[in-house]
């Protein structure tokens, strides 16, 4: 199978504290991969290593075909990233934000303007092209942030709690966008605390105390733990955590 | 689209979309120049003088005429000897000239503002001794070059050193930390944009603004404060540009260190401003400082700028005279630039 992420025994230590403890997994191309875990379980640290932001203490892996340990800069070029904190510039317009990130990822002026038109049309948002981002409602900002993260057509997009603080209707719309992107072959690596969203993922992993405690499709996990919902599966596993926040 | 160009464009938009801040940045130098140039001046504009005389000899009459006709003196009339103290105390006059019976002349001053009264004393003496004899006194010759004891000659170069470092550092010190606060920093770090580009792109629009400020300051100093540039203008511009770039990098460095905009502004405004004023040689000559403080001035950029700009602006010297200051300032700018990039990268871990 064609894996876009493969890591084996990935570990990150801060002094004597092991934030990520020998995790091994693979994500295949075009998959929506849910990366779950309670706060402090080590999700963010693991994700930072996968994005090329921090170097693993030990273990190895590759992301989008580049080595985690040595080719961080190449990885950055081929992934998209959207953080839990809203990360567009509020005093720039919708189009200016897209143009900026297009420019940062090395798109030509022509490519950028084509891409902006295309994304805004897909969002049915062309009328708001020249609106300041700061004047938009939060739900729209989050959808825009996702579009901006895919402006350079990355093969793989990391979403760090993308729907935090957003209303249920907008969350549903947001997931429509995610599924549309995945249908076009983009791999989605997403963290979330909403268990209904976990159901939308093709496969999910649950991290507890820096280790991956479970990894499979939602249906298989529910069956294995004799649970009706993912929420129950998550409780069962996360309750075993030794360390707190 | 070029990575660098799109980043510079973004920084320019930030500035242009915030006209209030831009206005402050462009007006602050004017206000500071005016404040330092006029309000905080030790020069003589107008001395209120009264006189005490018991006999009106030819000499006394000649001196009184000189006082009355001097444009910088307002002659408040004759008073009695017993009234001297009251006149000074009430503020009706700041100096009294006493013509003694023996022909000796005394000047009594209100010395509550020591530096002002010192200048007034020298100035009055120069009026009184102006045509007393043909033998020129040393005081008289000195006064001819700066008969008003213009404080602009002293203040303008020093104020420039302060204004640039204050405004430039204040402008850039929030620019990196703002992105940390808004969350955009995270996305920038994940993107392939190189820290060198980010730091340079943040500097360039502010450099343009600062060069505009430089022009304002030089025009103000020339036409309003009547402080002409004695030396070569291009040498002066090179020196100032280098100093501006250094100040911008200083702000950026603070910005990469600080955790919030508030902290960054406090560091720039409080921690840097006061020592900078004390140690730059602007207010107190570096030569007069105690040894420990004197050593400290070596790391204050404003001190080197102050030395160099006095040489160019007041003494009219050229490149050869300021190469040492120029290279020190250049080294400091480079060090701050490298440190900012390094600090920016450190955030990755």
């Amino acid at each position: 199978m064609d894996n876009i992420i493969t890591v084996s025994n990935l570990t990150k230590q801060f002094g004597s504290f092991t934030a990520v403890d020998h995790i091994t997994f693979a994500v295949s191309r075009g998959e929506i991969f849910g990366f779950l875990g309670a706060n402090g379980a080590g999700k963010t640290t693991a994700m930072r290593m996968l994005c090329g932001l921090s170097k693993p203490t030990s273990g190895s892996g590759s992301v989008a075909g580049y080595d985690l340990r040595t080719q961080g800069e190449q990885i950055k070029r081929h992934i998209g990233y959207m953080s839990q904190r809203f990360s567009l510039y509020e005093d720039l317009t919708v189009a200016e934000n897209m143009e900026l990130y297009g420019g940062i990822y090395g798109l030509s002026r022509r490519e950028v303007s084509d891409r902006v038109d295309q994304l805004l049309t897909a969002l049915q948002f062309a009328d708001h092209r020249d609106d300041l981002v700061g004047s938009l409602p939060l739900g729209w900002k989050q959808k825009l942030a996702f579009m901006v993260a895919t402006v350079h057509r990355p093969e793989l997009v990391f979403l760090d709690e993308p729907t935090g603080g957003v209303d249920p209707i907008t969350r549903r719309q947001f997931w429509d966008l995610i599924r549309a992107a995945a249908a076009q072959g983009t791999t989605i690596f997403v963290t979330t605390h909403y268990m209904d969203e976990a159901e939308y993922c093709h496969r999910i992993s649950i991290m507890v105390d820096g280790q991956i405690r479970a990894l499979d499709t939602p249906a298989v996990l529910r069956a294995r733990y004799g649970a009706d919902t993912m929420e129950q599966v998550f409780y069962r596993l996360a309750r075993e955590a030794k360390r707190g926040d | 689209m070029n990575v660098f160009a799109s980043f510079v464009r973004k920084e320019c938009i930030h500035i242009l979309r915030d006209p209030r801040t831009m206005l402050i940045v462009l007006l602050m130098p004017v206000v500071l120049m005016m404040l330092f140039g006029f309000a905080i001046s030790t020069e003589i504009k107008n001395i209120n003088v009264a006189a005490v005389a018991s006999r009106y000899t030819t000499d006394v009459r000649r001196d009184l005429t000189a006082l009355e006709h001097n444009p910088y003196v307002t002659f408040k009339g004759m008073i009695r000897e017993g009234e001297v103290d009251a006149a000074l105390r009430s503020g009706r006059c700041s100096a009294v000239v006493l013509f003694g019976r023996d022909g000796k002349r005394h000047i009594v001053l209100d010395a509550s503002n020591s530096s002002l009264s010192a200048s007034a004393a020298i100035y009055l003496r120069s009026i009184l001794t102006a045509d007393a004899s043909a033998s020129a006194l040393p005081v008289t010759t000195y006064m001819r070059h700066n008969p008003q004891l213009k404080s602009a000659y002293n203040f303008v170069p020093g104020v420039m050193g302060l204004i640039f470092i204050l405004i430039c550092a204040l402008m850039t010190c929030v620019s990196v930390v703002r992105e940390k606060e808004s969350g955009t920093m995270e996305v920038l770090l994940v993107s392939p944009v190189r820290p060198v580009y980010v730091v340079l792109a943040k500097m360039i629009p502010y450099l343009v603004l600062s060069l505009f400020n430089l022009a304002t300051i030089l025009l103000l100093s020339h036409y309003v404060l009547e402080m002409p540039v004695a030396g070569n203008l291009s040498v002066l511009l090179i020196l100032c540009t280098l100093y501006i770039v250094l100040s911008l990098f200083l702000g950026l460095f603070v910005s990469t260190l600080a955790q919030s905009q508030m902290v960054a502004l406090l560091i720039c405004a409080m921690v840097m401003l006061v020592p900078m004023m004390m140690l730059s040689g602007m207010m107190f000559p570096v030569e007069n400082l105690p040894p420990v403080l004197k050593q400290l001035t070596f790391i204050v950029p404003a001190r080197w700028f102050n030395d160099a700009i006095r040489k160019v602006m007041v003494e009219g010297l050229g490149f050869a005279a300021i190469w040492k200051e120029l290279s020190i300032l250049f080294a400091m700018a480079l060090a701050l630039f490298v440190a900012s990039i390094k600090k920016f990268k450190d955030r990755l871990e």
Side-chain angles (χ1 to χ4, degrees):
Chain A
M1 195 156 66
D2 184 14
N3 288 332
I4 193 157
I5 302 178
T6 41
V7 294
S8 77
N9 288 318
L10 201 64
T11 301
K12 181 79 184 183
Q13 288 180 313
F14 297 106
S16 61
F17 176 70
T18 308
V20 175
D21 191 2
H22 296 87
I23 59 172
T24 302
F25 67 95
V27 177
S28 55
R29 209 171 276 277
E31 191 175 18
I32 302 178
F33 188 86
F35 198 57
L36 276 52
N39 291 332
K43 280 180 314 197
T44 307
T45 311
M47 198 142 142
R48 288 174 68 84
M49 286 192 282
L50 295 176
C51 295
L53 278 185
S54 82
K55 294 245 184 302
T57 313
S58 68
S60 62
S62 78
V63 172
Y66 298 98
D67 191 309
L68 264 189
R69 309 180 65 96
T70 55
Q71 293 174 300
E73 289 304 311
Q74 288 295 333
I75 291 175
K76 285 184 189 175
R77 230 166 253 290
H78 290 86
I79 60 167
Y81 176 84
M82 179 188 162
S83 90
Q84 62 192 75
R85 293 177 68 194
F86 174 67
S87 52
L88 297 181
Y89 294 95
E90 305 235 336
D91 54 347
L92 266 60
T93 66
V94 171
E96 282 164 350
N97 265 294
M98 290 183 165
E99 284 158 7
L100 168 67
Y101 283 103
I104 286 178
Y105 284 95
L107 269 60
S108 73
R109 196 177 294 268
R110 180 70 181 279
E111 283 173 310
V112 169
S113 82
D114 288 352
R115 187 73 175 133
V116 170
D117 289 340
Q118 185 194 346
L119 288 174
L120 288 178
T121 312
L123 274 178
Q124 298 178 318
F125 210 54
D127 296 349
H128 300 278
R129 188 191 169 93
D130 296 322
D131 288 2
L132 290 184
V133 166
S135 69
L136 300 173
L138 179 68
W140 272 108
K141 289 182 188 170
Q142 295 296 79
K143 282 187 263 186
L144 268 178
F146 178 69
M147 286 317 211
V148 167
T150 60
V151 75
H152 55 298
R153 301 176 199 277
E155 308 156 62
L156 169 64
V157 182
F158 287 91
L159 305 173
D160 189 3
E161 293 177 31
T163 53
V166 170
D167 69 73
I169 298 168
T170 314
R171 281 208 289 140
R172 180 69 62 84
Q173 292 170 343
F174 193 89
W175 273 88
D176 289 341
L177 286 180
I178 292 180
R179 276 187 292 211
Q184 288 172 12
T186 309
T187 312
I188 309 285
F189 186 100
V190 57
T191 73
T192 180
H193 286 309
Y194 297 106
M195 289 305 135
D196 57 328
E197 292 185 352
E199 301 277 1
Y200 297 143
C201 299
H202 297 143
R203 285 195 305 151
I204 53 176
S205 73
I206 298 179
M207 265 187 103
V208 179
D209 289 347
Q211 295 169 335
I212 290 184
R213 209 47 71 77
L215 196 168
D216 219 314
T217 63
V220 170
L221 287 178
R222 280 199 308 270
R224 184 185 304 162
Y225 291 93
D228 297 329
T229 60
M230 276 310 298
E231 192 129 4
Q232 291 168 355
V233 176
F234 186 80
Y235 270 133
R236 190 80 57 82
L237 287 164
R239 243 195 344 232
E240 297 166 12
K242 302 279 190 300
R243 68 194 196 206
D245 279 345
Chain B
M1 206 189 294
N2 186 295
V3 181
F4 188 59
S6 36
F7 218 88
V8 173
R9 173 166 173 252
K10 168 220 157 204
E11 293 296 330
C12 292
I13 296 175
H14 284 322
I15 297 174
L16 293 173
R17 295 264 158 88
D18 189 4
R20 228 178 329 174
T21 309
M22 194 166 71
L23 204 67
I24 293 173
V25 162
L26 292 176
L27 285 181
M28 207 154 84
V30 178
V31 173
L32 284 177
M33 261 330 246
M34 290 297 142
L35 266 179
F36 279 102
F38 285 114
I40 310 171
S41 76
T42 56
E43 73 191 48
I44 309 304
K45 293 246 174 50
N46 181 32
I47 322 171
N48 291 328
V49 180
V52 179
S54 42
R55 290 184 302 164
Y56 290 88
T57 62
T58 332
D59 284 345
V60 171
R61 271 201 297 269
R62 188 201 55 221
D63 284 344
L64 286 176
T65 319
L67 284 175
E68 273 170 41
H69 287 99
N70 192 291
Y72 305 113
V73 169
T74 305
F75 188 60
K76 290 287 188 186
M78 307 300 297
I79 53 174
R80 280 183 285 122
E81 200 161 354
E83 293 171 343
V84 171
D85 204 46
L88 289 176
R89 207 176 283 279
S90 69
R92 198 157 62 86
C93 56
S94 50
V96 177
V97 181
L98 290 154
F99 297 96
R101 284 176 196 284
D102 47 5
K104 279 191 184 149
R105 294 163 298 183
H106 308 273
I107 303 169
V108 184
L109 291 130
D110 169 14
S112 54
N113 182 335
S114 60
S115 61
L116 211 60
S117 60
S119 331
I122 298 173
Y123 189 58
L124 283 177
R125 215 161 49 200
S126 79
I127 298 173
L128 298 179
T129 52
D131 44 24
S133 71
S135 62
L137 294 159
V139 174
T140 330
T141 20
Y142 166 68
M143 300 295 274
R144 236 175 251 151
H145 290 137
N146 192 1
Q148 271 182 278
L149 286 180
K150 266 195 189 173
S151 51
Y153 281 76
N154 187 31
F155 272 108
V156 169
V159 170
M160 282 173 74
L162 256 178
I163 290 180
F164 284 136
I165 209 148
L166 188 64
I167 293 184
C168 295
L170 281 180
M171 282 194 299
T172 47
C173 78
V174 292
S175 64
V176 177
V177 75
R178 188 174 50 204
E179 305 227 7
K180 288 183 208 166
E181 282 183 0
S182 69
T184 47
M185 188 71 169
E186 223 175 311
V187 180
L188 284 186
L189 289 174
V190 182
S191 81
V193 61
R194 293 170 58 194
V196 183
Y197 285 174
V198 178
V199 173
L200 278 180
K202 283 187 177 297
M203 191 207 69
I204 283 174
Y206 291 110
L207 178 62
V208 174
L209 271 184
S210 305
L211 290 178
F212 187 83
N213 276 341
L214 172 62
T216 320
I217 288 179
L218 287 180
L219 288 175
L220 272 181
S221 129
H222 190 277
Y223 290 106
V224 182
L225 298 175
E226 289 161 11
M227 156 100 201
V229 177
N232 188 327
L233 191 63
S234 55
V235 177
L236 182 75
L237 291 181
I238 289 171
L239 171 68
C240 290
T241 310
L242 176 62
Y243 184 67
I244 286 170
V245 169
L246 179 145
S247 308
L248 292 171
F249 282 146
L250 181 64
L252 281 169
F253 180 60
V254 170
S255 199
T256 55
L257 291 179
Q259 285 306 317
S260 73
Q261 296 190 51
M262 192 62 93
V263 172
L265 283 171
L266 275 177
I267 293 179
C268 281
M270 310 296 283
V271 182
M272 284 182 356
L273 179 63
V274 175
M276 208 70 96
M277 274 174 97
M278 300 299 173
L279 300 177
S280 67
M282 171 202 158
M283 304 181 91
F284 313 109
V286 172
E287 292 75 22
N288 295 359
L289 291 171
V292 182
L293 288 183
K294 208 168 167 179
Q295 296 295 317
L296 256 181
T297 65
F298 288 121
I299 58 161
V300 177
R303 175 241 151 108
W304 300 106
F305 176 75
N306 207 17
D307 279 0
I309 197 166
R310 265 175 221 277
K311 288 182 190 167
V312 178
M313 247 181 134
V314 184
E315 294 171 43
L317 300 173
F319 256 127
I322 59 165
W323 68 267
K324 183 179 139 203
E325 285 87 353
L326 278 178
S327 27
I328 290 173
L329 288 173
F330 183 78
M332 283 177 167
L334 197 66
L336 284 168
F337 178 52
V338 172
S340 319
I341 294 171
K342 174 114 181 36
K343 203 65 210 153
F344 197 92
K345 275 186 184 152
D346 280 357
R347 295 190 44 80
L348 296 180
E349 274 302 315

